[in-house]
Amino acid sequence: SLKIRRNGETFSLIPQTATSFIPIDNKGNEIVDTRYHFRDLATFPCLIQKQKNKEQLLGYKLKAFDPKKWGNKIGTYEHFGYQILAGDSKFQSLELKLTEDEVLIAVIGSTEGMQFPLPLDIVSETYAKTAGLMSGYAMTLTFTENDTYHIVDFAGLTFRKKK
């Protein structure tokens, strides 16, 4: 079954139809006047929360992938090669993390100490794209390797980590 975590509380979504769900709290009670359903917006299967007559877009459904195939790619990659200075900051690292919900996240680190977490939508074992519905998403990440390094190309920058 699907589970939702919001504001520190976890509740279950019980299927009502193939695309709609009734939320049940952690005591087994139905959450009244609230429903969840998937609806396609453009090419994205999106999760919508409906409370009474008001709908709110919560996000979109990522494709399933085998996290075991990504285990050797998890970790911190250091930038190498040329980089144009954008303001006072440069990107210095890219860390691949797997969340407890098995979402792959790329955290871009800057020389100023800022971090930019980007969930990834897996396309194949060598390609992913940044996930999101707003502008600035759907940027491609390419994963390759050589005898010494795992390599990630992202937004014209190259990052690597030792095997």
Side-chain angles (χ1 to χ4, degrees), residues 8 12 17 22 33 55 71 86 93 133 135 154-155 162:
S12 298
T17 68
I22 297 171
D33 293 330
E55 289 190 338
S93 65
L133 295 171
S135 64
F154 169 69
K162 282 203 177 226

Side-chain angles (χ1 to χ4, degrees), residues 9 18 21 24 26 29 34 44 47 58 62 64 72 74 76 81 86 91 103-105 110 115 127 133 160:
E9 185 179 349
F21 304 86
I24 304 295
N26 57 9
N29 300 316
T34 301
F44 300 99
L47 182 62
L58 298 180
L62 296 171
N72 63 348
I74 301 296
T76 301
F91 295 121
V103 174
L104 193 61
I105 306 267
S110 77
Q115 293 189 329
Y127 293 98
L133 295 171
R160 66 183 179 187

Side-chain angles (χ1 to χ4, degrees), residues 78-84 90-94 108-109 140-142 151-160:
E78 299 299 321
H79 175 262
F80 78 103
Y82 180 75
Q83 183 175 166
I84 295 174
K90 285 187 175 186
F91 295 121
Q92 69 179 17
S93 65
L94 182 148
I108 309 298
T140 302
L141 288 85
T142 305
I151 300 166
V152 178
D153 290 306
F154 169 69
L157 302 173
T158 304
F159 300 86
R160 66 183 179 187

Side-chain angles (χ1 to χ4, degrees), residues 44 60 62 119 129-135 137-138:
F44 300 99
Y60 72 86
L62 296 171
K129 60 183 178 179
T130 57
L133 295 171
M134 307 303 252
S135 64
Y137 291 96

